[in-house]
Amino acid sequence: LISPHKKIASRKHLKFERREVPATNQRQIPRPLADVLHSIKVGTTKLSMKTFNSLSVLCVIAFSGRDVNGFTVGSPNVRTQTTKLFSSEPDVSAMGTRVVDEVKEVSECVQLASEYLFKPDDAVSAEDIVKVCDEIDAIQDGDLFVSQSLQLRKKALEYKRYEMLAKLMRKDYDAYVATASFLSPSRIPRLQLPNVQDVPIGEQDDTPVSPIVEDGQTLVADCELEDMKFNDNLLDKTLLSIFRKLVVKNTGGVSSDKDGIEGLLDQGRTFMLQPGQTAEAQNKMVYDTLGDLMTPVLPPFYRIFMSGIVPKLGTDFDGKQIGPWFYAPWLTSFVTPTFFGFLVGPSYPNRRKDGQPGGLVVEKCKFLQESGCKGLCLNQCKLPAQQFFQEELGLPLTVSPNFVTQECQWSFGEVPLPPEEDPSFPKGCLVGCESRKLISASAEGPTANLCN
């Protein structure tokens, strides 16, 4: 190769020569480096020292430790394989082949993703979903751009699996829960499940749980998961500030010196513990606050273009509802996370319990995590939100909090059950509820019940 031991007549002019490498030092030299050495004719090309140094450094950085076929010494006989470094014409054939391969991969991925879109729900089984998981695990990174950089095949298979799970949920909800519980989180990330309402986190424990009883009351166990840290953006802080001022207005002056969500919860708890307070009064307070927050403009717009309620035009159809329109549930699920994150934290659209679009799941409810109070959750979030969407916006809504994980499922377009008839809504206060402790110490005594 470049001989560092050969004496150079002048520092300004360097010559290149070929040098045999002993067979004991067998190694592979990258093709581009061999091409550089061969393309510079021995004894005829002259390089300045600056150019030579630049070329040397470039070669060392680019080819160190790489195992590329090219200039190979693999036997007692010295073999040299060289190609032309600079070609006056591009390799059109290789480029065309690469483009064809990329297009074929994209086409196959589109077919994979859309395979189950138009199949009936009965065409899906739990075994089929497991096979797709196996296909995802078997994917190997190729040299194609769409596979290596975009991971298009993996995303296509994940989308296919998502659609299959949604179809299984519509076909047999219990079978969906069993399949999702078995595959998640070991093989399917929880965030990739179409619905997580009844899917436990982690390994299931079949050991019977004894009821928690304190002062004669049956209590609900607290969430044992680690608290989430919330990073509110400027919009969240602005909306929270406006909401708190509206709460002061609608509670007759109840305020708090605490900042952020803690201050809002302090306002809500103070209002809840007022003498003679009722659940209906709490519902109305939040109902009015939501109406003020949305301004007089948004509800009429929503009623017309989302819920299909005919506006007052002086006709016989005034006020009649011909909706909600088919797109209302899923479009609402996409818009809501942006404007309600200040109250509940991060959320993302998913599927309702019936497998249809229009669901939204709160990853870990800020309101529930910071309050630790089932009464505040019920009377200052769940019930007034359901009532507001149904009566003011014309779209049914079911809010389903999970007190074990502190997730919360919002299902737009789904008619809610009363809390006393909802089997998923537990009875009793939370063990660590601060409101319960204050009630127990009050004149009303431990029998006061604001959580059911």
Side-chain angles (χ1 to χ4, degrees):
L1 304 180
I2 302 174
S3 174
H5 304 293
K6 184 173 180 64
K7 185 176 181 181
I8 307 298
S10 172
R11 288 179 58 86
K12 296 182 179 180
H13 300 90
L14 300 175
K15 298 181 179 180
F16 292 83
E17 69 174 8
R18 297 193 184 197
R19 173 175 162 225
E20 295 185 358
V21 181
T24 55
N25 296 332
Q26 297 182 7
R27 58 174 300 199
Q28 293 187 339
I29 310 298
R31 177 187 295 274
L33 180 55
D35 293 344
V36 171
L37 301 177
H38 183 65
S39 63
I40 302 176
K41 296 182 180 179
V42 178
T44 60
T45 302
K46 299 177 180 179
L47 297 176
S48 66
M49 180 61 70
K50 181 178 180 181
T51 304
F52 171 73
N53 290 338
S54 300
L55 178 61
S56 301
V57 172
L58 180 62
C59 290
V60 170
I61 293 177
F63 305 118
S64 293
R66 295 181 60 186
D67 184 14
V68 183
N69 289 329
F71 192 108
T72 308
V73 179
S75 63
N77 298 325
V78 178
R79 296 185 301 131
T80 322
Q81 181 183 359
T82 60
T83 59
K84 193 172 183 180
L85 178 64
F86 300 104
S87 175
S88 58
E89 298 181 0
D91 192 346
V92 178
S93 177
M95 292 176 59
T97 302
R98 179 60 177 262
V99 171
V100 170
D101 291 341
E102 297 279 358
V103 172
K104 287 175 61 178
E105 179 68 9
V106 171
S107 176
E108 291 179 7
C109 291
V110 171
Q111 292 178 5
L112 285 173
S114 60
E115 182 178 354
Y116 275 83
L117 282 178
F118 305 104
K119 287 188 176 182
D121 297 343
D122 293 338
V124 179
S125 66
E127 292 76 11
D128 296 332
I129 297 173
V130 174
K131 291 179 181 178
V132 175
C133 292
D134 294 338
E135 291 184 55
I136 295 175
D137 295 340
I139 292 178
Q140 297 181 351
D141 293 336
D143 59 348
L144 297 178
F145 173 76
V146 295
S147 298
Q148 187 174 19
S149 300
L150 301 182
Q151 295 187 327
L152 192 60
R153 179 170 289 270
K154 180 180 179 181
K155 293 177 181 178
L157 287 171
E158 288 176 346
Y159 180 80
K160 174 182 176 180
R161 183 178 63 191
Y162 185 93
E163 289 297 326
M164 294 173 70
L165 286 167
K167 288 181 180 295
L168 181 61
M169 184 161 45
R170 290 196 294 267
K171 170 187 171 184
D172 187 343
Y173 182 75
D174 292 336
Y176 163 78
V177 172
T179 303
S181 303
F182 176 74
L183 295 175
S184 179
S186 60
R187 305 195 67 183
I188 304 178
R190 191 170 180 84
L191 294 178
Q192 293 182 11
L193 293 174
N195 186 284
V196 296
Q197 277 182 262
D198 299 308
V199 180
I201 287 183
E203 298 182 359
Q204 301 185 56
D205 187 1
D206 297 330
T207 304
V209 179
S210 302
I212 304 173
V213 180
E214 185 176 319
D215 295 330
Q217 298 183 48
T218 302
L219 305 179
V220 179
D222 293 324
C223 174
E224 298 181 356
L225 301 178
E226 183 179 354
D227 285 350
M228 176 181 286
K229 295 182 179 180
F230 302 99
N231 298 316
D232 293 341
N233 55 35
L234 181 60
L235 178 61
D236 293 334
K237 294 178 181 178
T238 302
L239 291 175
L240 181 58
S241 176
I242 296 173
F243 194 86
R244 290 191 59 183
K245 292 177 181 178
L246 294 174
V247 169
V248 173
K249 168 192 168 186
N250 292 311
T251 55
V254 176
S255 61
S256 174
D257 295 332
K258 296 181 179 180
D259 296 328
I261 189 68
E262 293 182 356
L264 176 63
L265 294 171
D266 190 35
Q267 291 175 267
R269 184 176 284 111
T270 301
F271 184 70
M272 180 178 71
L273 297 179
Q274 287 179 344
Q277 187 59 270
T278 63
E280 290 75 18
Q282 295 179 70
N283 297 168
K284 186 177 185 307
M285 182 272 291
V286 178
Y287 184 103
D288 294 340
T289 302
L290 290 174
D292 293 339
L293 182 67
M294 295 191 72
T295 74
V297 177
L298 292 179
F301 179 86
Y302 191 97
R303 286 197 296 267
I304 295 172
F305 295 101
M306 302 288 276
S307 299
I309 299 177
V310 179
K312 294 181 180 180
L313 301 174
T315 68
D316 295 337
F317 298 99
D318 289 0
K320 293 185 178 180
Q321 185 171 8
I322 57 177
W325 305 119
F326 69 93
Y327 54 80
W330 66 262
L331 186 56
T332 304
S333 70
F334 276 94
V335 175
T336 301
T338 302
F339 298 100
F340 277 85
F342 76 97
L343 280 177
V344 298
S347 59
Y348 60 92
N350 70 346
R351 297 296 181 96
R352 301 183 319 209
K353 200 170 182 178
D354 60 2
Q356 299 296 334
L360 177 147
V361 60
V362 179
E363 295 182 35
K364 204 168 192 294
C365 180
K366 181 196 299 187
F367 194 89
L368 181 56
Q369 174 183 293
E370 300 302 324
S371 69
C373 178
K374 185 164 165 278
L376 286 175
C377 170
L378 176 66
N379 295 312
Q380 296 188 21
C381 183
K382 172 182 167 63
L383 293 181
Q386 292 177 169
Q387 184 182 8
F388 182 82
F389 267 86
Q390 176 65 69
E391 298 179 3
E392 190 69 21
L393 301 181
L395 181 70
L397 167 66
T398 297
V399 178
S400 304
N402 185 329
F403 296 99
V404 176
T405 64
Q406 292 183 341
E407 295 168 320
C408 189
Q409 175 71 33
W410 291 47
S411 299
F412 299 99
E414 183 179 288
V415 179
L417 292 173
E420 60 273 13
E421 299 178 12
D422 187 354
S424 66
F425 198 84
K427 303 296 185 292
C429 293
L430 295 173
V431 173
C433 177
E434 294 296 328
S435 303
R436 180 180 62 84
K437 297 176 182 178
L438 292 173
I439 294 173
S440 298
S442 69
E444 297 184 32
T447 59
N449 186 5
L450 295 175
C451 297
N452 297 314

